[in-house]
Structure formats: C-alpha cells, structure tokens
Amino acid sequence: MNPYIHPVGARLPRLETREKITGRAEYTDDLVRPGMLHAAILQSPHAHARIISYDTTRALAVPGVIGVITGDDAGWGRSGPFVKDETAIAKGKVRYVGEPVAAVAALDVDTARQAAQLIDVVYEELPAVFSPDEALAPNAPIIHEELATYVNVLGLPVRGNVLQDCEISQGNVDSAWGECDVIVEGEFETQAQYHAYMEPCAALAEVDANGKLTVWSSNQSIFRDQSNLSESLGLPMSKIRCLSPKVGGAFGGKIEITVQPIAAMLAIKTGKPVRIALTREQDMETMRVRHPARIRMKTGAKKDGTLVAREVDILMDVGAYADDSPGVVGVSTVFSRGTYRIPHARCRGKGVYTNKLRSGAFRGFGGPQAAWAGEQQIDEIAAKIGMDPLELRLKNAPEPGREWMCGIELERSDLKECLEKVRAASDWKRRRNEKGRPGFRRGIGLACIPHISGVLSSSAIIRILEDGSAVLSTGAVDNGQGSDTVLVQMAAESLGLPVDRITFAQPDTDASPYNWGTSASRVTYMVGRAIVGAAEEAVKKLIKYASQMMECAEVDLELRLGGFIGLKGVPDKVLPFAAISGYAHWAAGGPIIGTHALHYDGPVLDPTKAVIKHFPFRFGVWTFGVHAVEIEIDEATGRITPLAVWAAHDLGRAINPMAVEGQIEGGVVQGIGYALFEEMVWDGGKVANPSFMDYKIPGTMDSPMEIHSILVENPDGSGPFGAKGIGEPPIVGPAPAIANALFHATGVRLTKLPMTPERVLRALNEAPRAH
Amino acid sequence: MKFYQPTTLKQALKVLANEDDARCLAGGATLVAMMNANLLAPSALVSLSAVKGLAGITRRKNGSVTIGAMTRHQAVADTAALDGGQRLVREAAALIGHPAIRNMGTIGGSISHADPAADYPTALVTANATVTIENSRAKREIDAQNFFTGYLETALEPGDIVVAVSIPAGVAGAGSAYEKFARVQGDFATVSAGVVLALEKGVCRHARIAVGGCAATPIRVAAAEAKLVGSRLQDSAVAAAGVLLAAACDPIDDFRGSSEYRLMILPTILARAVSKARVRAETVS
Amino acid sequence: MTTTVPITLTINGALHQAFVQPWHTLLHVLRDVLHFTGTKRGCNQGICGACSVIVDGEVVRGCLSIAANCQGRTITTIEGLANGNTLSNVQQAFLELGAVQCGYCMPGMIIAATALLKRTPKPTEEEIREGLSGNLCRCSGYVKVVRAVQVASERGTS
Ligand SMILES: Cc1cc2nc3c(=O)[nH]c(=O)nc-3n(C[C@H](O)[C@H](O)[C@H](O)COP(=O)(O)OP(=O)(O)OC[C@H]3O[C@@H](n4cnc5c(N)ncnc54)[C@H](O)[C@@H]3O)c2cc1C
Ligand code: FES
Ligand code: FES
C-alpha cells in the first residue's frame, strides 16, 4: 500500500528528517535576530540562604554589557503548575546550589559569562536539608516559609516542608493480610536521573515597540510557556507570543518553564532581542531530575498466586520547588498497584521539599519508581510459592468486565496478550533454563508496565486551502518523538488526502489552537482525537458545499480517496476538493475550516469506590506493556550486560510503526541507563557530577542491539483510529526486569538503583551461593 | 591570551622559555575541555601541530620503537611496529575514548596531563618506556615510572616539552596485554592493568606488571612480579601477585567506583591481562 | 594582551575567513561566527559528539579544536554532505530507516558515520558500534542508527 495514500499504519519517515540530517533544522540556539544580545546567569553557591543585597556595578562596567537583572527587578511573579512557589530568578532567598540569582545580557557570550561572575551578592546562610528525612525532622528549617500563602491550584495539603500527601486505597488491607499465604515486604530506593536531552535548555526573547513579547524556546508546550511566562513576568497572555523551533529532546524536562523568563526579562529591560543557552553543566545544575524515591511496600498472595493485598508508602524528594511533583507523586501512587487486580490496596505518596535541584516530570512520571518496587515483589512472591513469574502475572492480569481498580472497568485488557507474545518471542522457557558461560551468569526477567495516555485538553483546526490541500494546526510541539508526522498521517487519512497535501502549521500561541502539552503519552491520543473531529467537520462542510454545487442531497455524497467528494454509487461523478474549496472561497459559504476541541473524558478513578485523596488528574486510557530482558553478569566484576530485550506494548493501533519502534528502542535504552549506572549525585547541596564526563548515559556500546518491539494492536474504542500513546511506558520496564533477571541468574536481589557493578558484586559476595 | 604556531622545536622551546604560564597545545582534548570549563586560562597557547619532527612512529634495528610526542592515539592503535612486549601500548591506545578523541589526542599530551585513570601511563610503565624531554637548555630522558610523580603531576619542569616516548624491544618472545575496566565503553579506567610476560616451556621467566586507576600514579610492585616469575602462572600465583599489588594501591572514591571496589576487582583485571598476555607469549615462543 | 588570529578555512569546499581569539574553538567559529549552525553543541567538553566535524579527512570534536590551530584546514560539516538535493548514502539511509528523532545528535552522528565508512567501508556491527561510540543520542536507542549505517555501507560510501 502506498504510505502516502493510506498513511495510517505506514512506516513513514519523519517529515522533517531532511532538515535534520542536512543541518538545516533550526533549534533555539541557532536563531539570530538583528541586534541580538547573549545572556548568562550567575548561580547561587549556597543551598539555602537569604539574599541580603546585590551589587551589579562591576558587571555593568564591563565593556559590552548592556543589562543586568536580579531578583530585585520589579515584576517577578511566582509560577508553577500546582503550587506557585517559584520565581525565575531567586527573590529574597536561594533554595538550592546552582539556582539562578542574576543574569547579564551582553554583546557576546564570553562577555556575558565573565560579567555574571562580577555581580556581588551578599547572602546570609541558612541551615539546609538534603533529604526528605531531614526535611521532615522536627524543627527542620522551613524551605518555603510562605508556602501557605502561595497560590495552590488544587488545594493540596501543604504544611511545613510537605508538598504532597496523597492516598489511593481500596478494600480492607489490614484484615486482608490474614487471607494471604505468603507476604513479602521490603524497602526500595531509586536515584535521581537526569533527562540528558541532547539540546541544553535555551530561549530567545524579543519585545516589540508595543511591548509585546515573542519567545522562541526549546519546550514541550508553547501554551505552558505562555502561561508560565505570564505568571512569571506579570504580563497578560495577550502580550506574550510563544513559538517553538525544533526541540532537541525533552522527556518531560521541558514541559514547564526553563530559561524563557530570564531571556524575556532581559529583553524587556534592554529593549533588545536576548538569547540564552545553558551550558551542559548549568542545565544539570538548574533544571530537573527524576524524583529520588524511597518506597516501602508489602504484598500478599494466596498459595495459588492470587494477589490479595498491597500496601505502599512512597516518599519522594521534590527538591526546592514544587514544579510537577504533586502530579508525579500522585501518579506514582496509582501506578504502585501495578498492572494487577489487587482487591485490597493502601497506597500513599508523600512529596517533600529539600534544598536540592527540583525534581520534575520525566518520561514515566513516577512509574519507574513504583515498578522498581512492585515488579520485584511480584517475582519474590513467585519464587516463594514456586510459580513461574510469567504465570503469576497472567493469573492476576486485569480482565474486561471485571473491576480492575478504583471502580474502573476496562473495555479490554491486553496485558495477557502482551505476556503471551513476550513468552513466545523470547522463548521464555528455554531462556529461563539457560546457564552462563564460565565466569558469567545468565538470566532473564520480566516486568509489567501500567500506564495511561490522555489527560487534560487539546484542539485542532483543519483548513482546506484553495487548491484542495490542507493546513493542520494543533499547537502540539514535536520533541523529536515524531508527532508532527503522526498527526499529519491521521489528518491525511481522515481527509483522504495524500500526506504531502497536508502542511503542519508550526506551533504559535498567536495562531495555534490550544494543546496542554507534549507530555503524558498524550499527543497521539488527545491531539489525534481533536484532528479526527476537526477533519469530520471539514468533510461535513466539503459535502455541504459539494451538494450545493452538484445540486444533490448531502446524504448522497461521500468522501473519496485522493481529495474528492463523490456521488454514492456513481464512480465518475466527483468534485475535487480544489473545486469545492474554490467555490467556498469565492462564491458561497466561506473558507472551509474544521475544528474540534476536547478535554479528557474517559474512565476516571471513582471516588465512590475507593479512597482518593489529592490525586491531581482526571486520567486516562489505560495501556499495558511487558518487558523481558536477558542479561549476562560478570561474576568477577559484577557488571551486568543486557543482551536482548523483548518489549510488548498494547498501543491500540500504531499510526506509524517505525516511530513506535523508535519510542520503544529509545525508552528501553534510557531505562537501561537508569537501571545500571545513571545517577545524579550531590555533595551536600551541590550536584557533584554535572557533566557527561561524570554522569554517564548509554552509548552505542552500552546498549543492546537486540531490542524486539512487539506491537500489540487491538484498537481502543476511544482513540483516534484506535491509537493510544507509547511515549512513556518503554522506560519503565528495564530496571525491574533486569533486577528480576539478576535474581533469576544469581539469587541476589538489589533494592537500590542503579545496579552498578559494585552493588552487584558486593551482593554476590555476600550471598550464599544459591545457584 | 596569545597564540603561537611555531614550526620548529627550537622556536617552541623559546616561546615556552619566555612566556610565563604558557601551555603547549597538543591534541587539545584535555586542555581545551579545561579551558571551556573555565578551569584554566593560560597566558599563551603554543601549538605543537606544525612543529616538524614531533609526530611519527619509528622502529629501530634493535627493536625499540620511538613514538613522537604529537603522534595521535589512532596512529599508535593502528601501527604494526609495536608487537610482542610492546603490543600492550597499541592495545591501550585503541581503548582511549572514541574515534574522534583518538584522532585528536596525542601521546605527549596524555602523559603530560598524567591522569592516573588514563591508559598510556599504565601501559608505558609496564612496557618500561623512556620519555624524552627537551627545554631551551637541555635534553634528557626519564623512565616512564619516574616520569609520573603524582596525581596529574610529572617530572616536567616549566619550559619542558615531551618530544618522544621510546619503548624498548624488551625480552625476546614476550607477550603483553592491556586490560581496562570502565563504567561505560570509552570512559577513563576504573581499574586497568598492563602485563608483559615471557615464558619458557610454560614457566614464566619474565614479568612486568602495572596497574592504573588505583593510585595517584601507575603502580608497579617488584614482589608481585616475582610471584609470577618461576611460576606456571597458575591462578594462585596470579592471585598472590594481585594481593601484593592491591596492598600497594591507594585508590580514591569517585564516580568511577569506590576505592574498595577498585581493590576488589583489581586481581580480576590483572588475571585477565595475564591470561591474554600468556596466550600471546605462548604463540610467540 | 590578546592576539587576534586571522584564519582561513575551507568549509564544504568554499573558502572562509575569520578573526578569532586564541581560546575560540572551531565549534564556536563555525556556529557563532560563520553561522554553520548545523553542527551542534551538546556539552562543550568533548563527550557527546554533537559537534563532530571532519577536518582534513578525519572526524574530530569541534568543541575541543582550537580555531586558530585550524588555519588552512579543510573542513566538512553536516551542511556539506548532500550534493544539492541528493542526500549522501548515509543521510539517505538514516532517513529511510527512521533513525532520526529529535535530530540534535544527528549532525555529529552522521559525520561520524561518514568518517567511519571512509575508514572501514564494510564494517561489522561491532565496528559500527565502536565507530559511533563517541556520539551520544538520547532518543533513538541506537538500533536504527546502527542499521542505517549497515544499509549505507551495503550501498557504497558516497
Ligand atoms: C571524551 C573524552 C574521553 C577520553 N577518554 C580517555 C580514555 O579513555 N583514556 C585516556 O587515556 N584518555 C582519555 N581521554 C583523554 C585524551 O586521551 C587526551 O587526548 C589526552 O589526555 C590529552 O592529549 P592531548 O594531545 O589532547 O593534549 P592536550 O589537551 O593538548 O594537552 C594536555 C596537557 O598536556 C600539555 N602538553 C601537551 N603536549 C605536551 C608536550 N608534548 N610536552 C609537554 N606538555 C604537553 C598541555 O599543555 C596540557 O597541559 C579522553 C578525553 C576526552 C575528551
Ligand atoms: S559539544 Fe563537543 S563533544 Fe559535546
Ligand atoms: S535523535 Fe535526539 S539525541 Fe539523537
């Protein structure tokens, strides 16, 4: 089938690939405006300190310096998605080492950087806390004294250093332990992972003569930028236009504000365009990480493998600012139940401020932490009752028509199919019995992944151009995952037009319809639904005008492939879109525009069926995944080498299988980095390894070439063409699957991430030789 | 900052003698990274790129091999000149970083920087190499082992330029190997080991060993080598050598591993180097 | 005292001149002075490979190369690989196999792959991985990148 004519389901190369591989794609730091200045930041040396005063004289005296901003500049407001606790430049207090305290705009970067170091800031140091335990201790220093006065969008129960305290519970856990034949209990720890998008955060801002601000930046949502900028700078949204050039990866790290307000404030102050690009070190010191977590978990089952009860306490280190933490803690708490029917569950999540870099949204959004604990306990139970871990998972998989959790009944559940497909593809039984070569152990382990796609709102506009081609406008930013292409494929399929007859309007808050963000595995699902709706409306109008032109009833007309409206049953009675659109433009009716807007409307956690406290989302269409990872362990060094990965994901329908494989392969490798060596480390309040020299991410030699993507395609009733999202789930599986493989191979279980050679070797040395 | 592009060694040495705080610019792979990170701002850069006679590998009749200071890691990795007891130097060069780093970095730059986790220092100490140094007044030679004096410290004095490294032919019939353990491929070593062995009818008659990443400089212990000489390189002998080496090491805790972990795996890395070198020595003899 | 150094570079076949400071890197001069912005800056420390360019036939790090030291050299950047609208074999394979996601690492990755195939026209999978080991990509997971290089190698190296 010609992919350009039947685009949905086609392995279509990304539409913008040519630009990217010829070096012509423009990212924020590639943009130049006339008279543009370059900016640099000064960062706090203290983890917690009051700012007493600034002296900018020396900096301003450097030739080439045009402007300086500090927290004293008028206009700074607090912003944040849940609790508005953060100014773009510290005001009054600094709360983590590295926090921006001032910025300079100069004729060139060297000058700006040099001058920034010449700004003198007088601090009064305050006692600081570096872990949730320290922050929760009685008499701990309070990081946000005015927390109670901040705008708190959802009325979260903030107090002291506690930001989020949520619960998702059901059944009667306390009495359920009595029904269990086997109970496992443990404490698990996860580390801070850095997003390591290859493009460090950058922004370019410019103010016009009327005071209207235009901001180009590396981001996941121009609309979140606009809203955050408005709060940050105290400007009405109508005075702010946000645009997105190409984005060099994001993974959650760019969904909220980054450096846009700094560039904007400098542009306002100097009247010149100002560009800022963080260095890699600054990006690692000032942006975001995945939440470090400590998870206490207890799971009970019957002898036959039926899961009965689970109790979970998640404690997450939020860092100095709230950012997306209330959401991440909440989602982690829901996902801590895993992919299983567990009648009795009590899951609590707590997020606590510390004087460290903020934790934020990161692909998986709390899922990786929860699965690290939960999926290991499933294997522990399997081992205790002597059941194959795959069978145990099958036994407890959700089924359509039966309640799954919190009142939700799934229309269908493809977890079993994912499990069966992984079993077959990995040759599970044979590999479970494989022994390693001398000096090495070999093992294979599983992990199941619960996730959702679709939260919040999206919209789309399709306008038919005079020649019958179309422009698709959604406001969705492509972070590299390929959404521009996938969205165009869906629009093309809906309109019966070839892909090259659709142009994708670049996101622009002045012109694009609203989209909350490229996040939460939601673009394909939510924006896709908006596109299908918009296309339906456009087609309706095409039919209406065609009926006027052909003088027949609308019901007798149909959409035909290739951009035609035809008379049903009469093959050669057709009108091309060009003729109809021309008629609409020049004769009657007006330009043909289809629009559709929606808010997530699917099944939600039901507060009448379960205790649901402070869970901040209406969410989402459920999707499941199963990973099996085969590993080899060097007995003498403790190094784990992942050999092969089988990754089955229930994604409804793959709009573009090649893009889906890309998401799976990329997510799996990010998950392997998380599993084996990635870890942001602090020395007191300072990030100790803010460079790629010290913080390692996987390269070609550290990544398995055997990543088998298994696409389980059973169309979802609500999704566009049956599709659900696939952006996040693939990162969740590798860590617990590898931990389970390690146990399978050696009898050793690690509860702390990452599984460095050192931790593995120590565990091997301490363990009785079980195998 | 000034920039000099001398074309002769004499010119280069003269500039170095006259400029306080000037730095030689070799491959730049370390120097420029440090400058970019604001860790270093020399008064002048003296590029060695155009200096005649500093790059190249020559094998002499007596079997010794001289590597010019400006020879790139890739050229050393590719050379056929290094074999037998010298082969580990080539093996070490091939394990440095990644292709682009090997196309830039030079042996002179690597040893002048003297990172104990780097690959050349350990390999050169094992291979009993000599470093040739010149300044505006004199020329001198120093054993690799005495060249590395501390963490990022060498026997170089202000005004000195490393002009070459020579690796002796060594013991006839020797085999050698360099083994490296790093967090990810292309990283600096957590632990590395170099071994040169010669065998006679399965009995070791010559051994030189050095380990890297485990102290401020590469570590060589005569008693550890003595454990191997006269042995059949059985596991117990190699393990005993490992224990002696570990006792002489004083590794630090860093992101590449804790001090304790380094000592835990050192005997293994050594054993792997020994077994590779042994196979090679056997094929030679 | 600072010396400003005049340099002449042949970039993608054309002569360019610039006045540079001794600490300026080739990456800085390419991107910020001559506006060859296809070459990317991911770390400025020599680790990520986003700045890879070919100098006198060999792949190097733009961010670790002192510009003044490149006087008279011949440089190929990502902008110089295609012939008009005809992509190079490597570019074409990356496109077809869907190896490119956000694309930020790709100029460096494609330059490194091009240099690899020049040195080793028929590399094994292992040689491809080793050849690209200094180019970090956070999106792709590398599988399609390695396959693309295999495909390009089967088709020849132009
Ligand atoms: C990403 C990355 C990975 C790396 N991985 C490894 C690795 O795995 N193993 C490893 O061993 N190394 C590694 N390195 C370091 C690399 O090998 C460097 O090339 C080397 O350490 C320095 O060599 P250079 O020629 O680039 O020297 P430069 O950076 O030019 O100089 C380094 C220092 O030596 C001085 N100097 C240079 N030449 C001379 C001379 N002839 N006489 C006197 N002084 C001189 C300079 O003034 C400077 O102080 C890595 C580097 C990078 C950036
Ligand atoms: S920017 Fe040069 S290697 Fe990262
Ligand atoms: S494609 Fe995004 S970093 Fe490689």
Side-chain angles (χ1 to χ4, degrees):
Chain A
M1 249 195 306
N2 185 334
Y4 292 87
I5 295 175
H6 286 288
V8 160
R11 302 178 66 85
L12 201 66
R14 278 181 178 62
L15 301 172
E16 76 290 356
T17 310
R18 276 185 91 90
E19 279 180 84
K20 288 176 173 171
I21 58 178
T22 55
R24 284 160 65 167
E26 286 181 331
Y27 300 78
T28 302
D29 196 32
D30 300 338
L31 303 177
V32 175
R33 297 289 298 157
M36 185 178 84
L37 305 176
H38 299 263
I41 54 169
L42 174 70
Q43 299 175 265
S44 163
H46 302 298
H48 198 192
R50 216 168 287 291
I51 299 173
I52 305 300
S53 64
Y54 306 90
D55 184 350
T56 58
T57 336
R58 287 198 301 149
L60 282 165
V62 176
V65 169
I66 310 296
V68 175
I69 56 170
T70 69
D72 274 356
D73 278 85
W76 290 122
R78 295 191 185 276
S79 76
F82 292 97
V83 174
K84 305 203 183 294
D85 62 357
E86 182 162 21
T87 50
I89 279 192
K91 197 174 167 65
K93 240 170 84 156
V94 290
R95 296 183 175 84
Y96 67 93
V97 175
E99 181 168 4
V101 288
V104 176
L107 295 178
D108 61 83
V109 183
D110 286 346
T111 307
R113 295 219 171 116
Q114 185 206 339
Q117 297 308 315
L118 298 177
I119 298 170
D120 298 304
V121 184
V122 178
Y123 299 94
E124 177 197 320
E125 267 196 83
L126 299 169
V129 289
F130 300 126
S131 70
D133 287 336
E134 285 174 36
L136 290 171
N139 304 323
I142 299 300
I143 296 167
H144 292 270
E145 291 96 339
E146 289 117 57
L147 184 54
T149 67
Y150 294 157
V151 176
N152 182 337
V153 182
L154 300 175
L156 294 170
V158 297
R159 71 199 132 78
N161 288 324
V162 176
L163 169 70
Q164 166 67 302
D165 200 352
C166 63
E167 181 172 347
I168 313 284
S169 296
Q170 202 174 1
N172 188 339
V173 174
D174 296 320
S175 62
W177 300 123
E179 297 170 34
C180 300
D181 299 311
V182 44
I183 293 175
V184 296
E185 197 167 358
E187 185 174 298
F188 298 82
E189 266 181 72
T190 69
Q191 80 281 31
Q193 182 183 26
Y194 171 57
H195 298 74
Y197 32 70
M198 280 295 126
E199 179 203 20
C201 288
L204 164 58
E206 180 170 342
V207 192
D208 72 11
N210 294 320
K212 181 163 177 183
L213 185 67
T214 300
V215 181
W216 295 259
S217 72
S218 182
N219 69 81
Q220 288 175 245
S221 168
I222 51 169
F223 298 98
R224 290 299 307 146
D225 285 356
Q226 188 188 32
S227 147
N228 277 315
L229 274 164
S230 161
E231 291 168 3
S232 240
L233 303 171
L235 290 177
M237 286 167 80
S238 57
K239 288 269 182 210
I240 303 168
R241 177 184 180 205
C242 293
L243 295 154
S244 186
K246 292 282 175 288
V247 177
F251 313 112
K254 298 173 181 173
I255 181 69
E256 299 299 338
I257 208 78
T258 63
V259 288
Q260 297 91 343
I262 296 176
M265 195 58 120
L266 282 167
I268 292 169
K269 191 145 182 181
T270 60
K272 300 258 185 192
V274 175
R275 190 177 81 192
I276 183 167
L278 293 179
T279 64
R280 178 59 63 185
E281 291 70 23
Q282 289 170 338
D283 195 281
M284 297 182 80
E285 287 167 352
T286 65
M287 287 298 134
R288 296 169 170 86
V289 290
R290 183 188 301 290
H291 291 73
R294 186 177 68 212
I295 301 174
R296 296 208 172 99
M297 193 180 272
K298 183 174 172 184
T299 308
K302 292 200 159 79
K303 269 201 299 280
D304 68 354
T306 307
L307 294 172
V308 177
R310 176 169 274 186
E311 181 164 19
V312 187
D313 268 293
I314 301 172
L315 181 61
M316 285 190 168
D317 184 342
V318 160
Y321 293 100
D323 203 59
D324 273 321
S325 289
V328 174
V329 174
V331 169
S332 194
T333 307
V334 175
F335 288 166
S336 69
R337 297 182 47 161
T339 52
Y340 313 106
R341 283 177 286 110
I342 306 182
H344 306 281
R346 181 161 60 219
C347 308
R348 298 198 192 100
K350 194 176 262 189
V352 179
Y353 283 117
T354 61
N355 289 111
K356 283 159 69 186
L357 177 61
R358 73 185 76 60
S359 304
F362 192 158
R363 193 182 210 169
F365 212 78
Q369 293 93 328
W372 171 245
E375 284 304 289
Q376 291 212 57
Q377 288 207 331
I378 297 298
D379 265 44
E380 286 182 71
I381 289 176
K384 282 206 168 173
I385 61 178
M387 194 168 174
D388 180 291
L390 195 148
E391 294 296 344
L392 180 67
R393 288 175 167 84
L394 269 178
K395 187 170 180 77
N396 293 284
E399 281 166 11
R402 286 177 72 180
E403 184 190 336
W404 174 44
M405 71 147 86
C406 304
I408 297 176
E409 261 183 36
L410 299 172
E411 205 179 291
R412 51 175 307 122
S413 156
D414 299 309
L415 183 65
K416 285 187 178 170
E417 187 173 339
C418 290
L419 280 162
E420 290 298 358
K421 288 201 157 144
V422 163
R423 176 180 356 227
S426 69
D427 203 350
W428 175 253
K429 221 183 197 139
R430 179 176 65 77
R431 281 181 215 267
R432 283 293 278 187
N433 292 314
E434 201 131 319
K435 293 278 166 281
R437 54 193 170 120
F440 293 81
R441 309 274 190 97
R442 213 174 236 255
I444 184 167
L446 271 182
C448 289
I449 305 156
H451 213 80
I452 53 103
S453 53
V455 288
L456 299 166
S457 61
S458 289
S459 47
I461 301 174
I462 288 174
R463 185 161 62 84
I464 309 296
L465 303 173
E466 286 161 79
D467 71 348
S469 57
V471 55
L472 170 66
S473 195
T474 68
V477 176
D478 192 333
N479 296 151
Q481 83 283 23
S483 59
D484 286 6
T485 308
V486 164
L487 297 181
V488 165
Q489 284 179 264
M490 290 194 281
E493 185 84 36
S494 306
L495 293 169
L497 282 176
V499 163
D500 65 357
R501 289 292 178 272
I502 311 267
T503 183
F504 188 82
Q506 287 312 303
D508 176 347
T509 51
D510 271 5
S512 307
Y514 183 83
N515 173 45
W516 170 64
T518 301
S519 194
S521 311
R522 64 185 291 285
V523 171
T524 299
Y525 177 81
M526 290 297 295
V527 182
R529 284 179 62 185
I531 288 171
V532 170
E536 270 170 19
E537 195 178 297
V539 169
K540 223 180 251 165
K541 289 184 183 168
L542 283 161
I543 287 181
K544 179 170 145 196
Y545 300 141
S547 80
Q548 293 169 13
M549 294 168 76
M550 294 162 90
E551 297 179 339
C552 62
E554 288 177 32
V555 288
D556 294 333
L557 294 176
E558 64 186 5
L559 179 68
R560 297 242 179 105
L561 208 58
F564 300 96
I565 300 296
L567 192 60
K568 285 179 188 162
V570 188
D572 54 2
K573 192 84 174 128
V574 292
L575 274 179
F577 282 9
I580 307 168
S581 185
Y583 171 85
H585 276 84
W586 303 109
I592 296 167
I593 300 176
T595 68
H596 190 63
L598 73 159
H599 190 275
Y600 174 71
D601 53 1
V604 294
L605 309 185
D606 183 348
T608 65
K609 303 264 172 62
V611 177
I612 297 166
K613 278 196 216 148
H614 307 300
F615 179 66
F617 292 116
R618 253 187 89 85
F619 118 162
V621 178
W622 288 87
T623 149
F624 298 118
V626 174
H627 285 188
V629 183
E630 188 181 32
I631 62 170
E632 184 173 75
I633 301 128
D634 182 336
E635 288 180 337
T637 65
R639 190 204 298 280
I640 293 176
T641 306
L643 302 173
V645 181
W646 293 266
H649 290 277
D650 129 43
L651 43 77
R653 173 96 187 265
I655 305 295
N656 183 336
M658 194 154 79
V660 167
E661 289 162 12
Q663 287 302 293
I664 294 176
E665 291 158 7
V668 161
V669 167
Q670 240 173 21
I672 286 173
Y674 184 59
L676 299 182
F677 46 78
E678 290 186 36
E679 178 169 21
M680 188 85 108
V681 178
W682 278 264
D683 178 4
K686 187 176 167 23
V687 174
N689 54 349
S691 79
F692 283 151
M693 203 48 137
D694 290 327
Y695 184 103
K696 287 294 172 194
I697 64 168
T700 46
M701 299 295 276
D702 318 301
S703 308
M705 286 296 112
E706 260 199 68
I707 301 177
H708 305 278
S709 298
I710 302 165
L711 313 189
V712 175
E713 296 188 75
N714 298 308
D716 174 85
S718 63
F721 305 96
K724 299 190 274 193
I726 183 65
E728 297 179 271
I731 202 178
V732 179
I738 290 172
N740 288 336
L742 177 67
F743 177 80
H744 172 229
T746 64
V748 154
R749 209 163 256 302
L750 289 184
T751 53
K752 197 169 170 172
L753 273 173
M755 293 174 271
T756 59
E758 176 158 2
R759 289 193 181 133
V760 174
L761 186 60
R762 282 179 191 283
L764 287 175
N765 288 349
E766 281 159 21
R769 290 184 72 90
H771 288 233
Chain B
M1 192 183 293
K2 295 186 217 164
F3 183 79
Y4 296 95
Q5 187 72 274
T7 53
T8 66
L9 185 59
K10 214 168 145 189
Q11 283 169 7
L13 291 168
K14 201 169 142 201
V15 179
L16 276 184
N18 294 336
E19 282 275 353
D20 279 347
D21 197 31
R23 289 277 183 144
C24 292
L25 172 66
T30 297
L31 182 61
V32 180
M34 290 171 79
M35 285 166 54
N36 288 349
N38 276 329
L39 296 173
L40 204 70
S43 65
L45 294 180
V46 183
S47 167
L48 302 182
S49 302
V51 173
K52 285 180 203 80
L54 277 187
I57 302 171
T58 29
R59 192 180 168 96
R60 295 187 205 291
K61 280 217 178 74
N62 66 6
S64 78
V65 172
T66 299
I67 305 173
M70 284 297 286
T71 310
R72 312 282 161 177
H73 305 330
Q74 192 61 51
V76 176
D78 289 344
T79 186
L82 296 164
D83 61 16
Q86 304 160 326
R87 175 172 171 176
L88 87 160
V89 175
R90 164 154 65 94
E91 207 165 20
L95 288 172
I96 297 176
H98 313 287
I101 302 298
R102 294 195 292 273
N103 288 339
M104 300 184 75
T106 66
I107 192 166
S110 174
I111 66 168
S112 301
H113 184 61
D115 187 329
D119 297 299
Y120 272 136
T122 305
L124 293 175
V125 167
T126 317
N128 197 17
T130 311
V131 181
T132 307
I133 300 165
E134 256 189 85
N135 57 35
S136 54
R137 301 172 309 276
K139 185 169 177 168
R140 65 190 195 279
E141 295 197 339
I142 302 184
D143 283 351
Q145 197 167 345
N146 296 320
F147 179 82
F148 301 105
T149 56
Y151 178 72
L152 308 183
E153 282 172 16
T154 65
L156 291 175
E157 303 282 342
D160 280 349
I161 290 181
V162 170
V163 294
V165 174
S166 298
I167 300 142
V171 178
S176 67
Y178 179 78
E179 182 79 17
K180 172 176 179 178
F181 182 88
R183 285 177 301 172
V184 297
Q185 208 265 355
D187 191 13
F188 282 86
T190 304
V191 174
S192 67
V195 172
V196 179
L197 294 173
L199 304 173
E200 210 171 278
K201 302 202 174 82
V203 175
C204 176
R205 61 180 169 84
H206 169 83
R208 262 182 88 95
I209 311 171
V211 297
C214 287
T217 61
I219 293 293
R220 234 193 104 208
V221 175
E225 290 165 2
K227 287 276 179 205
L228 300 190
V229 176
S231 81
R232 305 190 78 86
L233 299 176
Q234 67 276 25
D235 291 352
S236 60
V238 179
V243 168
L244 287 173
L245 277 162
C249 288
D250 182 17
I252 53 166
D253 293 326
D254 66 10
F255 300 110
R256 300 191 188 108
S258 71
S259 158
E260 231 180 292
Y261 177 68
R262 287 179 154 100
L263 297 179
M264 280 162 79
I265 63 168
L266 186 154
T268 300
I269 304 307
L270 174 67
R272 287 179 184 175
V274 167
S275 80
K276 256 200 258 174
R278 171 193 198 161
V279 172
R280 290 170 186 172
E282 278 166 354
T283 32
V284 172
S285 58
Chain C
M1 202 193 84
T2 286
T3 27
T4 300
V5 187
I7 55 168
T8 305
L9 306 170
T10 304
I11 306 173
N12 304 329
L15 271 184
H16 291 265
Q17 287 189 315
F19 290 92
V20 303
Q21 303 297 327
W23 62 85
H24 281 163
T25 61
L26 179 60
L27 177 64
H28 171 79
V29 171
L30 283 173
R31 285 183 54 80
D32 300 321
V33 179
L34 301 173
H35 300 295
F36 285 89
T37 51
T39 306
K40 298 298 180 221
R41 181 186 288 114
C43 70
N44 222 25
Q45 285 291 302
I47 308 149
C48 73
C51 64
S52 302
V53 291
I54 296 174
V55 176
D56 289 346
E58 281 181 341
V59 61
V60 301
R61 301 288 205 230
C63 71
L64 296 180
S65 303
I66 290 293
N69 207 31
C70 296
Q71 160 56 26
R73 309 271 176 120
T74 298
I75 293 154
T76 305
T77 69
I78 187 71
E79 290 95 339
L81 294 184
N83 185 356
N85 275 333
T86 311
L87 298 175
S88 74
N89 266 350
V90 175
Q91 288 171 316
Q92 184 66 34
F94 272 64
L95 182 142
E96 286 171 24
L97 275 92
V100 181
Q101 294 195 28
C102 84
Y104 200 79
C105 68
M106 285 298 158
M109 190 73 81
I110 289 170
I111 283 283
T114 304
L116 164 71
L117 291 184
K118 202 158 162 244
R119 190 179 145 91
T120 317
K122 298 286 170 212
T124 60
E125 181 182 289
E126 203 56 18
E127 284 170 327
I128 295 172
R129 290 169 79 190
E130 155 61 30
L132 301 180
S133 64
N135 292 79
L136 299 176
C137 173
R138 191 56 153 173
C139 301
S140 71
Y142 304 108
V143 176
K144 295 193 189 320
V145 169
V146 171
R147 299 281 173 264
V149 178
Q150 283 169 335
V151 166
S153 132
E154 281 155 22
R155 291 177 186 169
T157 47
S158 73

